[in-house]
Amino acid sequence: MKKTLLFAALALGAMSASAQALEQPKFFDNWSIGLDGGVTTPLKHAAFFGDMRGLVGLHIQKQITPAFALGVEGQFGVNTSSWVNRVHSTTAFDNSYVGMYGAVDLVNLFGGYKCGGRFFGLEVIAGAGWGHEFVNQNHQQGDRQDWNYFMTTAGLRFNFNVSKAVTIALKPYVAWNMTDGNHFFNEGQWEQTSCAYDKHNATFNLQASVSYNFGPGFTCVKPYNQAEIDALNGQINDLRAQLDACLAGNAAWEAKAAALAAELEACKNRKPEVVKEAVVSNNLNSVRYVFFKVGRSTITPDQAPNVEMIAAYLKNHPEAKVVIKGYASPEGSIEVNTRLANERAAAVKDSLVKKYKIKADRISAEGQGIGNMFTEDSWNRVSICTIEESK
């Protein structure tokens, strides 16, 4: 039954700690060390003021969860047996105890952990360890020697957390000598205990303690919300997609800048040429347009009359020349549009040379890339043919 209650308390302590979202402390966090002082007296036979004596001790504790702690302690009973005519030791202490204990904080267990801690706490404490009695040999009560025995303890501890680092506590508890058949002195004669948890073989202890806590305690954190995490992940993915789009756009502009830089460098490296000054007519006969379909550089039948008009003019004016500049609309990549512009200028030149037998040296044809002469993009898929007349 006692084991069942202990396991239930530990389970409730774990549930209490998990109900609050806390940052997991490290192994060397939340230790404390304390000094204990008080009194001890037998439960029977000269109990309380009849055989009360001082009790001092030291304890070291590790707070595992807000509701559960483990510790080790040592206690020493002050030797007062010389006050009466009985067996006593010749040392300052006539008994000692060293053991381990577990503590369950009922306030944190049932009330939940309060971020920042509480001023008051109430703990149930149970422990076990080894007791030792210091007895002088060859005393009038008979030849007795020092002896060891197994002990258990149980009680309460009232904690007052005066600061984050300092705790003052009051601890009433009972300690049992668990040795069956142990002897105790009663009314001038030795008697024998009948069982381990015998009131004749137990003491009542009342101690006050001052403990120093090596923090940082338990830090409350905001619990995870899966819906919020999913929403944040969605935002992150959207931002990544926008970043990828921006990077792709930057790459396109960098490619265009590189092409313009290459074209500029080619212009710088081009050797100077002496050209014959030409006079461009300002009348309507000086310019003809040959339009093309999207993605094509073939002269369609509806545009053939414009080419024929240029050929007729060149035949009627043997000294005249024509400058053909090909363009493309902005759809598509820079490389494709550059190729289309060159092919459209070359298509008009090839038609003049092959079909109308105009000499090639009278024709200048080159692509100009993407055109922006017209606000209508489809009009920029064109070869502009300009007649030049020599002086």
Side-chain angles (χ1 to χ4, degrees):
M1 180 65 179
K2 293 179 180 179
K3 291 183 178 180
T4 303
L5 292 175
L6 177 60
F7 288 137
L10 293 177
L12 285 173
M15 291 171 61
S16 173
S18 62
Q20 187 75 250
L22 302 176
E23 183 177 341
Q24 185 65 30
K26 299 178 182 178
F27 175 77
F28 292 102
D29 292 339
N30 302 333
W31 289 83
S32 62
I33 185 170
L35 295 175
D36 308 313
V39 294
T40 179
T41 180
L43 280 179
K44 298 290 290 183
H45 311 297
F48 294 95
F49 297 105
D51 198 11
M52 184 177 291
R53 66 190 65 188
L55 187 67
V56 296
L58 174 73
H59 70 269
I60 300 174
Q61 179 173 299
K62 164 67 174 176
Q63 194 71 35
I64 299 175
T65 73
F68 182 69
L70 289 175
V72 294
E73 61 180 344
Q75 305 289 342
F76 297 88
V78 178
N79 182 5
T80 60
S81 59
S82 59
W83 297 359
V84 294
N85 187 23
R86 62 171 55 183
V87 176
H88 65 90
S89 74
T90 58
T91 64
F93 305 103
D94 56 8
N95 63 73
S96 65
Y97 167 75
V98 177
M100 295 183 62
Y101 66 87
V104 178
D105 191 317
L106 299 180
V107 178
N108 285 337
L109 178 65
F110 295 106
Y113 179 70
K114 180 181 179 182
C115 297
R118 289 185 171 88
F119 172 73
F120 176 74
L122 175 61
E123 293 178 312
V124 175
I125 298 181
W130 293 101
H132 181 82
E133 294 287 338
F134 302 91
V135 178
N136 214 19
Q137 294 185 13
N138 301 321
H139 194 270
Q140 62 180 358
Q141 304 295 345
D143 294 337
R144 293 178 59 81
Q145 297 181 350
D146 293 2
W147 76 94
N148 298 317
Y149 47 90
F150 179 61
M151 289 187 66
T152 59
T153 62
L156 300 174
R157 184 162 63 188
F158 301 88
N159 295 321
F160 301 91
N161 302 304
V162 296
S163 71
K164 185 176 181 180
V166 177
T167 299
I168 297 176
L170 185 66
K171 176 184 175 184
Y173 68 98
V174 177
W176 288 275
N177 183 337
M178 302 298 290
T179 305
D180 290 336
N182 187 46
H183 289 79
F184 63 93
F185 194 73
N186 181 30
E187 297 180 355
Q189 61 182 354
W190 290 97
E191 297 183 9
Q192 190 177 32
T193 59
S194 59
C195 61
Y197 285 99
D198 192 319
K199 62 185 178 181
H200 298 288
N201 213 23
T203 61
F204 174 78
N205 308 292
L206 179 63
Q207 285 186 296
S209 66
V210 178
S211 302
Y212 185 83
N213 307 309
F214 299 89
F218 296 91
T219 303
C220 296
V221 295
K222 183 179 179 181
Y224 290 112
N225 186 315
Q226 190 60 43
E228 292 181 2
I229 294 174
D230 293 340
L232 290 174
N233 284 332
Q235 295 179 16
I236 291 172
N237 292 332
D238 290 341
L239 291 174
R240 284 176 176 170
Q242 294 177 22
L243 178 60
D244 292 340
C246 289
L247 292 176
N250 289 340
W253 283 109
E254 288 175 358
K256 184 175 181 179
L260 292 174
E263 186 177 347
L264 177 60
E265 190 65 25
C267 291
K268 289 180 179 179
N269 296 330
R270 186 180 299 169
K271 294 181 179 180
E273 296 180 1
V274 178
V275 295
K276 188 175 182 180
E277 185 179 357
V279 177
V280 178
S281 301
N282 292 323
N283 54 47
L284 296 177
N285 294 328
S286 62
V287 179
R288 287 291 181 269
Y289 301 95
V290 180
F291 293 97
F292 295 86
K293 291 186 176 181
V294 61
R296 300 296 181 87
S297 59
T298 304
I299 300 173
T300 57
D302 61 315
Q303 297 298 312
N306 294 331
V307 180
E308 186 176 356
M309 292 175 68
I310 298 170
Y313 188 93
L314 293 176
K315 288 181 178 180
N316 294 331
H317 300 81
E319 298 299 324
K321 295 183 179 180
V322 64
V323 176
I324 304 170
K325 294 183 178 181
Y327 296 91
S329 58
E331 298 92 342
S333 65
I334 295 175
E335 293 79 6
V336 172
N337 287 329
T338 300
R339 176 177 57 79
L340 282 173
N342 291 331
E343 291 176 353
R344 286 166 180 168
V348 177
K349 180 178 179 179
D350 290 345
S351 179
L352 291 172
V353 172
K354 295 178 180 179
K355 185 175 181 180
Y356 299 102
K357 309 303 180 182
I358 304 299
K359 292 183 179 180
D361 58 3
R362 298 178 64 189
I363 305 170
S364 174
E366 61 180 2
Q368 300 297 311
I370 297 174
N372 56 3
M373 300 78 64
F374 304 104
T375 57
E376 191 70 27
D377 286 342
S378 62
W379 291 13
N380 289 315
R381 297 191 286 269
V382 65
S383 287
I384 299 178
C385 306
T386 305
I387 301 296
E388 294 182 349
E389 295 184 0
S390 301
K391 289 182 178 179

